[in-house]
Amino acid sequence: MTPTDSPTSRARTTYGAVLGSPYVARLLGGTLVGRLPNGMAPVAIVLLVTVDGGTVAFGGLLSALYGLASALSQPVKGRLMDRHGQTRVSGPAAILNSAALIALPTIGITSSPAVAVMIVVLGGLAAPPLEAGLRALWPSVLPDPVRRHTALALDTGTQGLLYITGPLLVAGLTTAHSPALALAVTAALGLAGTALVLTAPPSRAWQPTATRVGGAQGRLFSSGLIMLFVALVGVGVAIGGMNVWAVAMAERHDTDLLAGVLPAAFSTGSFLGGLLYGHRTWPGTPTRQLLTGAGGFALGWLPLLTLPTPAPATAAVVVPGAFLTLIVARAFTITDTLAPPTRTTEAYAWLILSIGAGQATGAALAGRLADHPHALAALPAAGATLALITLLLARPGRSPARPGRHRHQHA
């Protein structure tokens, strides 16, 4: 991404010290709860369709549309936050997103597919940009770079909890009652988490970047950022394909719980990998660490090509999950280095869009491949390989850094 990445320090801090810093636990916890719809809604939508008599392919399409709409709207919401602050953007967005999720089961999803598509797209477009907002808050909440590094790794790693708790909660609520209840709970959690973040003093006091620096904008995209975002699309394809592959595995083995267990196992790997990564800073440049993570991520999907039974499959998906935190954390570091200071929230949103667009693409492709087990199992590895090849092509020395943008490389 940039030839001037410097090796990271070996300094360390404790999770207790970071979480004990003012507002860190509240902001992190609120963001995780508010983003639970990201882990719950795609699975709940697929289950809602199949319980209502629809096909996995249609459920995968709706799930993909939700993720794609959420991803595509991220840069717009990021730019709005850079101009108008967090409360004016995330508050109304959370209300509209929750309303759409609650309305979806009431319309007869298979009898009114066009209406279902409209509601799903509306809900995705309105997903509040809590992740980009949290990343924008860290420099003011944690000015110490070592603690900020740990917070970023903890922030990224604990996102795995969204995809452990979320799918399992959806599967449990659907088994005990219905997908409609799962969507209602999803909506309530999204509202509660967003409110917890937006009422915190750092979020209320945060000033849009344009206001702080007099409205200067600057050019956002460089060749390095573009290549990074393309690589993250491949990462998203792997994740989106895995989510629908898990539903197909559940149907093939007549075990509904697998639809939640397999994504949860992947996210358990991400969570554990994040804890290990955030425990200290590691040697090597951010770009080199990113390449290491992408290599491990790609290799980790290869066991799926053998069409394993549920128990080996559950164990296998832990491995690529363990490398996900390293990829995402270092991608944010490099994005912060290359983006202009007046547009960091928007740049973070483009990063999130890239992964989300990849997830939507992966879910849609997986839905089309649902009747072809070998091709479906190969899709996550294909997406991860795309990411690795793109990063290798963009390795240091291939793309010049932009002047004056070598800040926070230790974060």
Side-chain angles (χ1 to χ4, degrees):
M1 300 324 115
T2 168
T4 56
D5 286 339
S6 58
T8 53
S9 167
R10 293 179 181 270
R12 69 177 68 191
T13 188
T14 65
Y15 288 119
V18 172
L19 292 173
S21 300
Y23 306 114
V24 169
R26 176 175 177 173
L27 291 171
L28 181 59
T31 299
L32 288 173
V33 173
R35 294 181 59 231
L36 270 172
N38 293 357
M40 297 176 68
V43 178
I45 289 169
V46 175
L47 292 176
L48 180 66
V49 171
T50 56
V51 168
D52 201 34
T55 64
V56 173
F58 182 54
L61 174 63
L62 289 183
S63 178
L65 287 174
Y66 181 88
L68 185 61
S70 175
L72 290 176
S73 62
Q74 285 289 332
V76 175
K77 290 177 287 193
R79 175 168 285 198
L80 289 173
M81 288 175 66
D82 279 334
R83 293 181 176 180
H84 304 293
Q86 299 191 354
T87 303
R88 293 182 180 180
V89 177
S90 289
I95 294 171
L96 190 56
N97 173 262
S98 295
L101 293 176
I102 292 172
L104 188 59
T106 69
I107 52 98
I109 197 165
T110 55
S111 59
S112 304
V115 178
V117 167
M118 291 176 59
I119 292 176
V120 163
V121 170
L122 177 64
L125 290 174
L130 295 176
E131 184 178 2
L134 180 62
R135 302 289 160 78
L137 289 175
W138 283 139
S140 61
V141 174
L142 290 170
D144 175 61
V146 175
R147 290 194 176 189
R148 191 162 61 247
H149 164 84
T150 301
L152 179 60
L154 186 62
D155 167 14
T156 305
T158 53
Q159 289 185 44
L161 295 174
L162 303 176
Y163 303 99
I164 298 171
T165 306
L168 286 175
L169 185 55
V170 167
L173 290 170
T174 299
T175 301
H177 194 273
S178 68
L181 177 62
L183 283 168
V185 171
T186 300
L189 290 171
L191 279 175
T194 302
L196 190 62
V197 171
L198 296 184
T199 55
S203 179
R204 289 189 286 110
W206 185 81
Q207 294 294 317
T209 303
T211 299
R212 292 199 303 265
V213 299
Q217 289 298 308
R219 178 173 175 267
L220 177 59
F221 290 108
S222 64
S223 59
L225 270 183
I226 291 172
M227 294 292 279
L228 174 63
F229 294 161
V230 170
L232 293 175
V233 170
V235 173
V237 167
I239 299 171
M242 186 240 351
N243 286 332
V244 179
W245 166 79
V247 174
M249 283 280 288
E251 286 196 338
R252 188 178 307 122
H253 295 277
D254 196 26
T255 307
D256 289 343
L257 199 59
L258 277 176
V261 168
L262 289 168
F266 172 80
S267 298
T268 298
S270 177
F271 176 62
L272 296 176
L275 289 180
L276 176 63
Y277 176 65
H279 180 64
R280 53 165 291 177
T281 54
W282 297 85
T285 66
T287 299
R288 187 172 297 278
Q289 291 181 12
L290 180 62
L291 287 169
T292 300
F297 188 71
L299 291 173
W301 292 111
L302 295 182
L304 270 61
L305 301 180
T306 65
L307 299 183
T309 55
T314 302
V317 297
V318 173
V319 177
F323 288 95
L324 182 64
T325 295
L326 175 56
I327 293 172
V328 176
R330 276 314 173 202
F332 271 104
T333 300
I334 294 169
T335 298
D336 181 65
T337 301
L338 295 178
T342 56
R343 301 177 70 176
T344 51
T345 307
E346 183 184 354
Y348 297 153
W350 276 104
L351 188 158
I352 298 164
L353 181 154
S354 302
I355 299 175
Q359 285 184 263
T361 302
L365 289 173
R368 297 295 298 270
L369 297 172
D371 296 328
H372 305 279
H374 287 88
L376 180 60
L379 184 59
T385 301
L386 169 64
L388 178 59
I389 292 173
T390 304
L391 290 172
L392 287 171
L393 292 174
R395 66 185 183 270
R398 297 292 182 89
S399 176
R402 293 171 57 186
R405 293 294 300 141
H406 307 303
R407 71 192 198 288
H408 303 331
Q409 291 181 9
H410 41 255

